[in-house]
mmCIF file of all heavy atoms in Angstrom:
data_model
loop_
_atom_site.group_PDB
_atom_site.id
_atom_site.type_symbol
_atom_site.label_atom_id
_atom_site.label_comp_id
_atom_site.label_asym_id
_atom_site.label_seq_id
_atom_site.Cartn_x
_atom_site.Cartn_y
_atom_site.Cartn_z
ATOM 1 N N VAL A 1131 36.200 -18.574 -126.042
ATOM 2 C CA VAL A 1131 37.460 -17.851 -125.852
ATOM 3 C C VAL A 1131 37.379 -17.033 -124.551
ATOM 4 O O VAL A 1131 38.364 -16.396 -124.162
ATOM 5 C CB VAL A 1131 37.814 -16.923 -127.017
ATOM 6 C CG1 VAL A 1131 38.056 -17.754 -128.277
ATOM 7 C CG2 VAL A 1131 36.733 -15.880 -127.243
ATOM 8 N N GLY A 1132 36.201 -17.010 -123.886
ATOM 9 C CA GLY A 1132 36.039 -16.246 -122.666
ATOM 10 C C GLY A 1132 35.230 -14.988 -122.789
ATOM 11 O O GLY A 1132 35.203 -14.166 -121.886
ATOM 12 N N LEU A 1136 33.919 -12.737 -119.693
ATOM 13 C CA LEU A 1136 34.467 -11.384 -119.633
ATOM 14 C C LEU A 1136 33.302 -10.358 -119.575
ATOM 15 O O LEU A 1136 33.382 -9.374 -118.850
ATOM 16 C CB LEU A 1136 35.366 -11.138 -120.841
ATOM 17 C CG LEU A 1136 36.133 -9.834 -120.879
ATOM 18 C CD1 LEU A 1136 37.019 -9.671 -119.663
ATOM 19 C CD2 LEU A 1136 37.009 -9.777 -122.138
ATOM 20 N N PHE A 1219 35.668 -5.127 -129.295
ATOM 21 C CA PHE A 1219 36.569 -5.796 -128.391
ATOM 22 C C PHE A 1219 36.739 -7.211 -128.953
ATOM 23 O O PHE A 1219 35.834 -8.021 -128.867
ATOM 24 C CB PHE A 1219 35.996 -5.921 -126.974
ATOM 25 C CG PHE A 1219 36.135 -4.683 -126.128
ATOM 26 C CD1 PHE A 1219 35.016 -4.190 -125.427
ATOM 27 C CD2 PHE A 1219 37.346 -4.008 -125.990
ATOM 28 C CE1 PHE A 1219 35.130 -3.093 -124.625
ATOM 29 C CE2 PHE A 1219 37.458 -2.893 -125.185
ATOM 30 C CZ PHE A 1219 36.348 -2.429 -124.482
ATOM 31 N N HIS A 1220 37.888 -7.477 -129.576
ATOM 32 C CA HIS A 1220 38.138 -8.798 -130.145
ATOM 33 C C HIS A 1220 38.842 -9.651 -129.099
ATOM 34 O O HIS A 1220 39.996 -9.457 -128.795
ATOM 35 C CB HIS A 1220 38.987 -8.674 -131.417
ATOM 36 C CG HIS A 1220 39.156 -9.923 -132.155
ATOM 37 N ND1 HIS A 1220 39.535 -10.010 -133.487
ATOM 38 C CD2 HIS A 1220 39.006 -11.226 -131.794
ATOM 39 C CE1 HIS A 1220 39.600 -11.249 -133.858
ATOM 40 N NE2 HIS A 1220 39.308 -12.037 -132.834
ATOM 41 N N VAL A 1221 38.084 -10.627 -128.538
ATOM 42 C CA VAL A 1221 38.612 -11.476 -127.491
ATOM 43 C C VAL A 1221 39.306 -12.692 -128.113
ATOM 44 O O VAL A 1221 38.718 -13.395 -128.949
ATOM 45 C CB VAL A 1221 37.535 -11.967 -126.499
ATOM 46 C CG1 VAL A 1221 38.141 -12.727 -125.343
ATOM 47 C CG2 VAL A 1221 36.723 -10.774 -126.007
ATOM 48 N N VAL A 1222 40.598 -12.908 -127.732
ATOM 49 C CA VAL A 1222 41.414 -13.978 -128.349
ATOM 50 C C VAL A 1222 41.879 -14.901 -127.228
ATOM 51 O O VAL A 1222 42.384 -14.446 -126.198
ATOM 52 C CB VAL A 1222 42.607 -13.380 -129.076
ATOM 53 C CG1 VAL A 1222 43.424 -14.473 -129.780
ATOM 54 C CG2 VAL A 1222 42.197 -12.325 -130.082
ATOM 55 N N ARG A 1223 41.772 -16.183 -127.448
ATOM 56 C CA ARG A 1223 42.193 -17.175 -126.448
ATOM 57 C C ARG A 1223 43.681 -17.476 -126.588
ATOM 58 O O ARG A 1223 44.131 -17.881 -127.685
ATOM 59 C CB ARG A 1223 41.394 -18.447 -126.590
ATOM 60 C CG ARG A 1223 41.847 -19.555 -125.655
ATOM 61 C CD ARG A 1223 40.935 -20.759 -125.735
ATOM 62 N NE ARG A 1223 41.485 -21.892 -124.975
ATOM 63 C CZ ARG A 1223 40.845 -23.048 -124.782
ATOM 64 N NH1 ARG A 1223 39.628 -23.210 -125.305
ATOM 65 N NH2 ARG A 1223 41.400 -24.026 -124.086
ATOM 66 N N ALA A 1224 44.442 -17.276 -125.497
ATOM 67 C CA ALA A 1224 45.875 -17.616 -125.520
ATOM 68 C C ALA A 1224 46.227 -18.419 -124.277
ATOM 69 O O ALA A 1224 47.283 -18.271 -123.656
ATOM 70 C CB ALA A 1224 46.703 -16.347 -125.594
ATOM 71 N N PHE A 1225 45.299 -19.284 -123.823
ATOM 72 C CA PHE A 1225 45.542 -20.152 -122.651
ATOM 73 C C PHE A 1225 45.167 -21.594 -123.039
ATOM 74 O O PHE A 1225 44.302 -21.848 -123.854
ATOM 75 C CB PHE A 1225 44.718 -19.682 -121.464
ATOM 76 C CG PHE A 1225 43.221 -19.863 -121.642
ATOM 77 C CD1 PHE A 1225 42.567 -21.036 -121.287
ATOM 78 C CD2 PHE A 1225 42.474 -18.826 -122.180
ATOM 79 C CE1 PHE A 1225 41.181 -21.170 -121.450
ATOM 80 C CE2 PHE A 1225 41.077 -18.964 -122.375
ATOM 81 C CZ PHE A 1225 40.446 -20.131 -121.990
ATOM 82 N N VAL A 1237 44.743 -24.732 -129.482
ATOM 83 C CA VAL A 1237 44.931 -23.315 -129.189
ATOM 84 C C VAL A 1237 45.968 -22.708 -130.122
ATOM 85 O O VAL A 1237 47.121 -23.126 -130.113
ATOM 86 C CB VAL A 1237 45.299 -23.084 -127.706
ATOM 87 C CG1 VAL A 1237 45.580 -21.596 -127.453
ATOM 88 C CG2 VAL A 1237 44.203 -23.596 -126.799
ATOM 89 N N PRO A 1239 46.182 -18.689 -131.297
ATOM 90 C CA PRO A 1239 45.585 -17.363 -131.407
ATOM 91 C C PRO A 1239 45.735 -16.712 -132.762
ATOM 92 O O PRO A 1239 44.810 -16.042 -133.233
ATOM 93 C CB PRO A 1239 46.299 -16.557 -130.304
ATOM 94 C CG PRO A 1239 46.859 -17.527 -129.364
ATOM 95 C CD PRO A 1239 47.176 -18.766 -130.170
ATOM 96 N N VAL A 1240 46.883 -16.872 -133.399
ATOM 97 C CA VAL A 1240 47.105 -16.238 -134.698
ATOM 98 C C VAL A 1240 46.160 -16.822 -135.756
ATOM 99 O O VAL A 1240 45.595 -16.119 -136.557
ATOM 100 C CB VAL A 1240 48.577 -16.369 -135.119
ATOM 101 C CG1 VAL A 1240 48.783 -15.803 -136.529
ATOM 102 C CG2 VAL A 1240 49.485 -15.612 -134.142
ATOM 103 N N LEU A 1243 42.751 -15.364 -134.981
ATOM 104 C CA LEU A 1243 42.707 -13.984 -135.461
ATOM 105 C C LEU A 1243 42.455 -13.954 -136.960
ATOM 106 O O LEU A 1243 41.639 -13.163 -137.472
ATOM 107 C CB LEU A 1243 44.012 -13.241 -135.116
ATOM 108 C CG LEU A 1243 44.180 -12.813 -133.665
ATOM 109 C CD1 LEU A 1243 45.659 -12.490 -133.372
ATOM 110 C CD2 LEU A 1243 43.328 -11.614 -133.316
ATOM 111 N N ILE A 1325 39.912 -3.227 -130.469
ATOM 112 C CA ILE A 1325 40.862 -3.462 -129.376
ATOM 113 C C ILE A 1325 40.945 -4.975 -129.133
ATOM 114 O O ILE A 1325 39.935 -5.615 -128.963
ATOM 115 C CB ILE A 1325 40.407 -2.746 -128.102
ATOM 116 C CG1 ILE A 1325 40.294 -1.239 -128.311
ATOM 117 C CG2 ILE A 1325 41.350 -3.033 -126.927
ATOM 118 C CD1 ILE A 1325 39.544 -0.486 -127.215
ATOM 119 N N TYR A 1326 42.144 -5.507 -129.154
ATOM 120 C CA TYR A 1326 42.337 -6.933 -128.998
ATOM 121 C C TYR A 1326 42.563 -7.229 -127.512
ATOM 122 O O TYR A 1326 43.489 -6.701 -126.889
ATOM 123 C CB TYR A 1326 43.526 -7.423 -129.806
ATOM 124 C CG TYR A 1326 43.281 -7.298 -131.309
ATOM 125 C CD1 TYR A 1326 43.627 -6.159 -131.993
ATOM 126 C CD2 TYR A 1326 42.698 -8.345 -132.024
ATOM 127 C CE1 TYR A 1326 43.368 -5.997 -133.368
ATOM 128 C CE2 TYR A 1326 42.453 -8.210 -133.400
ATOM 129 C CZ TYR A 1326 42.789 -7.062 -134.054
ATOM 130 O OH TYR A 1326 42.538 -6.935 -135.393
ATOM 131 N N LEU A 1327 41.699 -8.067 -126.940
ATOM 132 C CA LEU A 1327 41.815 -8.496 -125.532
ATOM 133 C C LEU A 1327 42.327 -9.922 -125.553
ATOM 134 O O LEU A 1327 41.613 -10.828 -126.009
ATOM 135 C CB LEU A 1327 40.466 -8.388 -124.827
ATOM 136 C CG LEU A 1327 39.774 -7.019 -124.822
ATOM 137 C CD1 LEU A 1327 38.433 -7.090 -124.087
ATOM 138 C CD2 LEU A 1327 40.677 -5.962 -124.186
ATOM 139 N N ILE A 1328 43.588 -10.106 -125.120
ATOM 140 C CA ILE A 1328 44.216 -11.412 -125.197
ATOM 141 C C ILE A 1328 44.004 -12.138 -123.869
ATOM 142 O O ILE A 1328 44.608 -11.754 -122.843
ATOM 143 C CB ILE A 1328 45.720 -11.274 -125.513
ATOM 144 C CG1 ILE A 1328 45.939 -10.269 -126.666
ATOM 145 C CG2 ILE A 1328 46.321 -12.649 -125.844
ATOM 146 C CD1 ILE A 1328 45.225 -10.590 -127.940
ATOM 147 N N ASN A 1329 43.204 -13.142 -123.861
ATOM 148 C CA ASN A 1329 42.810 -13.895 -122.667
ATOM 149 C C ASN A 1329 43.879 -14.942 -122.343
ATOM 150 O O ASN A 1329 43.978 -15.939 -123.024
ATOM 151 C CB ASN A 1329 41.435 -14.518 -122.835
ATOM 152 C CG ASN A 1329 40.917 -15.138 -121.575
ATOM 153 O OD1 ASN A 1329 41.503 -14.954 -120.478
ATOM 154 N ND2 ASN A 1329 39.824 -15.881 -121.689
ATOM 155 N N VAL A 1330 44.666 -14.665 -121.286
ATOM 156 C CA VAL A 1330 45.772 -15.573 -120.933
ATOM 157 C C VAL A 1330 45.436 -16.232 -119.580
ATOM 158 O O VAL A 1330 44.487 -15.855 -118.887
ATOM 159 C CB VAL A 1330 47.116 -14.793 -120.775
ATOM 160 C CG1 VAL A 1330 47.471 -14.155 -122.108
ATOM 161 C CG2 VAL A 1330 47.044 -13.743 -119.674
ATOM 162 N N SER A 1331 46.199 -17.240 -119.196
ATOM 163 C CA SER A 1331 45.996 -17.924 -117.931
ATOM 164 C C SER A 1331 46.381 -16.995 -116.762
ATOM 165 O O SER A 1331 47.111 -15.997 -116.944
ATOM 166 C CB SER A 1331 46.819 -19.188 -117.846
ATOM 167 O OG SER A 1331 48.201 -18.862 -117.828
ATOM 168 N N ASP A 1334 50.208 -16.939 -116.408
ATOM 169 C CA ASP A 1334 50.898 -16.087 -117.394
ATOM 170 C C ASP A 1334 50.638 -14.620 -117.076
ATOM 171 O O ASP A 1334 51.529 -13.758 -117.237
ATOM 172 C CB ASP A 1334 50.415 -16.386 -118.818
ATOM 173 C CG ASP A 1334 51.034 -17.670 -119.341
ATOM 174 O OD1 ASP A 1334 51.830 -18.300 -118.620
ATOM 175 O OD2 ASP A 1334 50.706 -18.069 -120.486
ATOM 176 N N TYR A 1335 49.441 -14.285 -116.661
ATOM 177 C CA TYR A 1335 49.079 -12.901 -116.367
ATOM 178 C C TYR A 1335 49.916 -12.364 -115.214
ATOM 179 O O TYR A 1335 50.428 -11.227 -115.265
ATOM 180 C CB TYR A 1335 47.587 -12.789 -116.051
ATOM 181 C CG TYR A 1335 47.101 -11.377 -115.806
ATOM 182 C CD1 TYR A 1335 46.883 -10.515 -116.894
ATOM 183 C CD2 TYR A 1335 46.824 -10.907 -114.540
ATOM 184 C CE1 TYR A 1335 46.417 -9.247 -116.735
ATOM 185 C CE2 TYR A 1335 46.382 -9.610 -114.339
ATOM 186 C CZ TYR A 1335 46.166 -8.781 -115.428
ATOM 187 O OH TYR A 1335 45.712 -7.476 -115.244
ATOM 188 N N ASN A 1340 53.692 -14.629 -121.920
ATOM 189 C CA ASN A 1340 52.873 -15.608 -122.616
ATOM 190 C C ASN A 1340 53.510 -15.863 -123.970
ATOM 191 O O ASN A 1340 53.934 -14.939 -124.666
ATOM 192 C CB ASN A 1340 51.462 -15.062 -122.807
ATOM 193 C CG ASN A 1340 50.569 -16.007 -123.565
ATOM 194 O OD1 ASN A 1340 50.573 -15.982 -124.813
ATOM 195 N ND2 ASN A 1340 49.793 -16.818 -122.874
ATOM 196 N N LYS A 1341 53.605 -17.155 -124.335
ATOM 197 C CA LYS A 1341 54.328 -17.514 -125.556
ATOM 198 C C LYS A 1341 53.724 -16.964 -126.822
ATOM 199 O O LYS A 1341 54.380 -16.920 -127.870
ATOM 200 C CB LYS A 1341 54.466 -19.056 -125.641
ATOM 201 C CG LYS A 1341 53.121 -19.755 -125.805
ATOM 202 C CD LYS A 1341 53.302 -21.265 -125.833
ATOM 203 C CE LYS A 1341 51.989 -21.995 -125.996
ATOM 204 N NZ LYS A 1341 52.166 -23.488 -125.993
ATOM 205 N N TRP A 1342 52.434 -16.556 -126.746
ATOM 206 C CA TRP A 1342 51.763 -16.128 -127.973
ATOM 207 C C TRP A 1342 51.807 -14.608 -128.182
ATOM 208 O O TRP A 1342 51.508 -14.139 -129.308
ATOM 209 C CB TRP A 1342 50.292 -16.555 -127.945
ATOM 210 C CG TRP A 1342 50.112 -18.037 -128.057
ATOM 211 C CD1 TRP A 1342 49.781 -18.921 -127.037
ATOM 212 C CD2 TRP A 1342 50.270 -18.837 -129.228
ATOM 213 N NE1 TRP A 1342 49.709 -20.199 -127.522
ATOM 214 C CE2 TRP A 1342 49.990 -20.198 -128.878
ATOM 215 C CE3 TRP A 1342 50.615 -18.570 -130.549
ATOM 216 C CZ2 TRP A 1342 50.062 -21.212 -129.776
ATOM 217 C CZ3 TRP A 1342 50.678 -19.599 -131.455
ATOM 218 C CH2 TRP A 1342 50.424 -20.916 -131.086
ATOM 219 N N LEU A 1343 52.084 -13.830 -127.155
ATOM 220 C CA LEU A 1343 51.925 -12.371 -127.262
ATOM 221 C C LEU A 1343 52.794 -11.753 -128.362
ATOM 222 O O LEU A 1343 52.364 -10.869 -129.100
ATOM 223 C CB LEU A 1343 52.237 -11.701 -125.922
ATOM 224 C CG LEU A 1343 51.220 -11.960 -124.804
ATOM 225 C CD1 LEU A 1343 51.622 -11.247 -123.508
ATOM 226 C CD2 LEU A 1343 49.818 -11.508 -125.216
ATOM 227 N N GLY A 1344 54.032 -12.232 -128.504
ATOM 228 C CA GLY A 1344 54.926 -11.710 -129.554
ATOM 229 C C GLY A 1344 54.396 -11.988 -130.959
ATOM 230 O O GLY A 1344 54.391 -11.109 -131.827
ATOM 231 N N LYS A 1345 53.872 -13.212 -131.155
ATOM 232 C CA LYS A 1345 53.326 -13.587 -132.448
ATOM 233 C C LYS A 1345 52.041 -12.809 -132.760
ATOM 234 O O LYS A 1345 51.808 -12.431 -133.894
ATOM 235 C CB LYS A 1345 53.043 -15.091 -132.479
ATOM 236 C CG LYS A 1345 54.306 -15.966 -132.358
ATOM 237 C CD LYS A 1345 53.980 -17.413 -132.222
ATOM 238 C CE LYS A 1345 55.239 -18.255 -132.033
ATOM 239 N NZ LYS A 1345 54.938 -19.673 -131.779
ATOM 240 N N ILE A 1346 51.215 -12.594 -131.710
ATOM 241 C CA ILE A 1346 49.999 -11.817 -131.899
ATOM 242 C C ILE A 1346 50.328 -10.386 -132.267
ATOM 243 O O ILE A 1346 49.733 -9.788 -133.169
ATOM 244 C CB ILE A 1346 49.117 -11.857 -130.630
ATOM 245 C CG1 ILE A 1346 48.574 -13.259 -130.404
ATOM 246 C CG2 ILE A 1346 47.967 -10.853 -130.719
ATOM 247 C CD1 ILE A 1346 47.944 -13.461 -129.016
ATOM 248 N N HIS A 1347 51.308 -9.803 -131.544
ATOM 249 C CA HIS A 1347 51.734 -8.436 -131.843
ATOM 250 C C HIS A 1347 52.224 -8.294 -133.267
ATOM 251 O O HIS A 1347 51.900 -7.337 -133.965
ATOM 252 C CB HIS A 1347 52.813 -8.025 -130.849
ATOM 253 C CG HIS A 1347 53.339 -6.626 -131.086
ATOM 254 N ND1 HIS A 1347 52.582 -5.491 -130.773
ATOM 255 C CD2 HIS A 1347 54.488 -6.170 -131.648
ATOM 256 C CE1 HIS A 1347 53.298 -4.419 -131.117
ATOM 257 N NE2 HIS A 1347 54.425 -4.797 -131.618
ATOM 258 N N TRP A 1349 51.361 -10.174 -135.858
ATOM 259 C CA TRP A 1349 50.206 -10.291 -136.731
ATOM 260 C C TRP A 1349 49.474 -8.962 -136.793
ATOM 261 O O TRP A 1349 49.086 -8.496 -137.883
ATOM 262 C CB TRP A 1349 49.298 -11.377 -136.238
ATOM 263 C CG TRP A 1349 48.049 -11.590 -137.095
ATOM 264 C CD1 TRP A 1349 47.928 -12.431 -138.173
ATOM 265 C CD2 TRP A 1349 46.773 -10.934 -136.951
ATOM 266 N NE1 TRP A 1349 46.662 -12.318 -138.706
ATOM 267 C CE2 TRP A 1349 45.931 -11.414 -137.977
ATOM 268 C CE3 TRP A 1349 46.284 -9.989 -136.066
ATOM 269 C CZ2 TRP A 1349 44.636 -10.983 -138.131
ATOM 270 C CZ3 TRP A 1349 44.990 -9.539 -136.232
ATOM 271 C CH2 TRP A 1349 44.143 -10.053 -137.235
ATOM 272 N N MET A 1350 49.249 -8.344 -135.648
ATOM 273 C CA MET A 1350 48.571 -7.052 -135.595
ATOM 274 C C MET A 1350 49.319 -5.979 -136.369
ATOM 275 O O MET A 1350 48.724 -5.166 -137.078
ATOM 276 C CB MET A 1350 48.364 -6.599 -134.129
ATOM 277 C CG MET A 1350 47.328 -7.467 -133.370
ATOM 278 S SD MET A 1350 47.322 -7.026 -131.629
ATOM 279 C CE MET A 1350 47.019 -5.258 -131.688
ATOM 280 N N SER A 1356 47.176 -1.839 -133.414
ATOM 281 C CA SER A 1356 48.158 -1.682 -132.336
ATOM 282 C C SER A 1356 47.545 -1.816 -130.923
ATOM 283 O O SER A 1356 48.283 -1.977 -129.970
ATOM 284 C CB SER A 1356 48.852 -0.319 -132.440
ATOM 285 O OG SER A 1356 47.903 0.712 -132.322
ATOM 286 N N ALA A 1357 46.220 -1.739 -130.800
ATOM 287 C CA ALA A 1357 45.584 -1.710 -129.465
ATOM 288 C C ALA A 1357 45.392 -3.156 -128.964
ATOM 289 O O ALA A 1357 44.503 -3.876 -129.354
ATOM 290 C CB ALA A 1357 44.252 -0.991 -129.535
ATOM 291 N N MET A 1358 46.309 -3.548 -128.063
ATOM 292 C CA MET A 1358 46.254 -4.922 -127.485
ATOM 293 C C MET A 1358 46.356 -4.834 -125.983
ATOM 294 O O MET A 1358 47.224 -4.153 -125.447
ATOM 295 C CB MET A 1358 47.404 -5.771 -128.039
ATOM 296 C CG MET A 1358 47.476 -7.166 -127.475
ATOM 297 S SD MET A 1358 48.764 -8.155 -128.213
ATOM 298 C CE MET A 1358 50.221 -7.597 -127.311
ATOM 299 N N ILE A 1359 45.461 -5.523 -125.281
ATOM 300 C CA ILE A 1359 45.481 -5.574 -123.795
ATOM 301 C C ILE A 1359 45.439 -7.005 -123.341
ATOM 302 O O ILE A 1359 44.438 -7.700 -123.534
ATOM 303 C CB ILE A 1359 44.288 -4.783 -123.191
ATOM 304 C CG1 ILE A 1359 44.339 -3.312 -123.650
ATOM 305 C CG2 ILE A 1359 44.309 -4.888 -121.675
ATOM 306 C CD1 ILE A 1359 43.134 -2.525 -123.196
ATOM 307 N N PRO A 1360 46.578 -7.537 -122.725
ATOM 308 C CA PRO A 1360 46.484 -8.860 -122.151
ATOM 309 C C PRO A 1360 45.565 -8.823 -120.935
ATOM 310 O O PRO A 1360 45.610 -7.878 -120.115
ATOM 311 C CB PRO A 1360 47.945 -9.122 -121.695
ATOM 312 C CG PRO A 1360 48.777 -8.144 -122.498
ATOM 313 C CD PRO A 1360 47.902 -6.963 -122.684
ATOM 314 N N ILE A 1361 44.728 -9.832 -120.803
ATOM 315 C CA ILE A 1361 43.766 -9.883 -119.711
ATOM 316 C C ILE A 1361 43.587 -11.371 -119.345
ATOM 317 O O ILE A 1361 43.778 -12.240 -120.177
ATOM 318 C CB ILE A 1361 42.416 -9.237 -120.169
ATOM 319 C CG1 ILE A 1361 41.526 -8.899 -119.002
ATOM 320 C CG2 ILE A 1361 41.680 -10.103 -121.173
ATOM 321 C CD1 ILE A 1361 40.381 -7.942 -119.353
ATOM 322 N N SER A 1362 43.251 -11.634 -118.090
ATOM 323 C CA SER A 1362 43.030 -13.011 -117.659
ATOM 324 C C SER A 1362 41.676 -13.130 -117.016
ATOM 325 O O SER A 1362 41.458 -12.645 -115.923
ATOM 326 C CB SER A 1362 44.128 -13.464 -116.684
ATOM 327 O OG SER A 1362 43.792 -14.744 -116.157
ATOM 328 N N VAL A 1363 40.771 -13.791 -117.714
ATOM 329 C CA VAL A 1363 39.432 -14.012 -117.150
ATOM 330 C C VAL A 1363 39.520 -14.821 -115.876
ATOM 331 O O VAL A 1363 38.852 -14.565 -114.890
ATOM 332 C CB VAL A 1363 38.515 -14.677 -118.188
ATOM 333 C CG1 VAL A 1363 37.204 -15.133 -117.534
ATOM 334 C CG2 VAL A 1363 38.205 -13.723 -119.340
ATOM 335 N N GLU A 1364 40.435 -15.811 -115.888
ATOM 336 C CA GLU A 1364 40.648 -16.636 -114.697
ATOM 337 C C GLU A 1364 41.047 -15.783 -113.504
ATOM 338 O O GLU A 1364 40.484 -15.931 -112.416
ATOM 339 C CB GLU A 1364 41.757 -17.688 -115.017
ATOM 340 C CG GLU A 1364 42.010 -18.666 -113.936
ATOM 341 C CD GLU A 1364 43.189 -19.575 -114.258
ATOM 342 O OE1 GLU A 1364 43.903 -19.378 -115.273
ATOM 343 O OE2 GLU A 1364 43.455 -20.529 -113.433
ATOM 344 N N GLU A 1366 40.659 -12.435 -113.203
ATOM 345 C CA GLU A 1366 39.625 -11.412 -112.930
ATOM 346 C C GLU A 1366 38.448 -12.033 -112.127
ATOM 347 O O GLU A 1366 37.896 -11.405 -111.252
ATOM 348 C CB GLU A 1366 39.103 -10.808 -114.240
ATOM 349 C CG GLU A 1366 40.146 -10.049 -115.050
ATOM 350 C CD GLU A 1366 40.593 -8.741 -114.417
ATOM 351 O OE1 GLU A 1366 39.966 -8.293 -113.456
ATOM 352 O OE2 GLU A 1366 41.553 -8.149 -114.935
ATOM 353 N N SER A 1392 42.704 -5.632 -115.232
ATOM 354 C CA SER A 1392 42.802 -4.939 -116.528
ATOM 355 C C SER A 1392 41.425 -4.541 -117.058
ATOM 356 O O SER A 1392 41.339 -3.993 -118.152
ATOM 357 C CB SER A 1392 43.484 -5.831 -117.563
ATOM 358 O OG SER A 1392 44.863 -5.934 -117.262
ATOM 359 N N ALA A 1396 40.623 -1.685 -120.059
ATOM 360 C CA ALA A 1396 39.914 -2.048 -121.300
ATOM 361 C C ALA A 1396 38.709 -1.115 -121.501
ATOM 362 O O ALA A 1396 38.459 -0.660 -122.625
ATOM 363 C CB ALA A 1396 39.493 -3.507 -121.262
#
Side-chain angles (χ1 to χ4, degrees):
V1131 296
L1136 187 56
F1219 279 132
H1220 187 160
V1221 186
V1222 184
R1223 176 175 172 174
F1225 66 90
V1237 175
V1240 175
L1243 284 163
I1325 299 167
Y1326 294 89
L1327 302 180
I1328 314 303
N1329 187 10
V1330 300
S1331 67
D1334 283 359
Y1335 185 75
N1340 177 276
K1341 64 182 179 181
W1342 292 105
L1343 291 180
K1345 295 173 183 176
I1346 292 169
H1347 179 73
W1349 180 90
M1350 289 172 56
S1356 61
M1358 177 177 81
I1359 300 175
I1361 197 166
S1362 172
V1363 169
E1364 184 185 5
E1366 298 289 350
S1392 289

